[in-house]
Amino acid sequence: METFDLTTKDGMEIAKKYFELTPVGMLFKIGKMIFDSDSVKKQGKTVEDLIKAGKERGGR
C-alpha cells in the first residue's frame, strides 16, 4: 500500500496521480466527464424550462 505526505503540495499531487490510476479514480473521472459536460447542463436547463412552462399552464 502506498503512503503519501498530504501536508505538502508535492505529496498531494502524487496522491492525486495515484488515485486517478485506481479503478475508483477512473470511474470518478469518467463520471465527472459525463456530468460536467455542456450537453448535460443544456439538457438540465431544458428540463427546468419544460417543468416551469407546464406549471404555468396548470400542470402538476
Side-chain angles (χ1 to χ4, degrees):
M1 183 168 166
E2 296 287 327
T3 58
F4 308 101
D5 182 3
L6 301 179
T7 62
T8 66
K9 185 176 181 178
D10 290 338
M12 288 292 288
E13 288 298 319
I14 293 169
K16 181 181 173 188
K17 288 178 184 176
Y18 179 79
F19 176 72
E20 289 175 351
L21 297 175
T22 65
V24 173
M26 289 180 196
L27 288 173
F28 179 78
K29 196 172 186 178
I30 291 169
K32 187 171 178 149
M33 287 188 314
I34 292 170
F35 293 107
D36 283 349
S37 70
D38 286 338
S39 63
V40 171
K41 290 177 185 174
K42 288 178 185 175
Q43 289 174 3
K45 176 71 173 130
T46 301
V47 169
E48 289 175 3
D49 293 343
L50 287 170
I51 292 170
K52 184 178 177 182
K55 286 183 177 181
E56 288 172 355
R57 294 189 175 133
R60 294 188 201 196

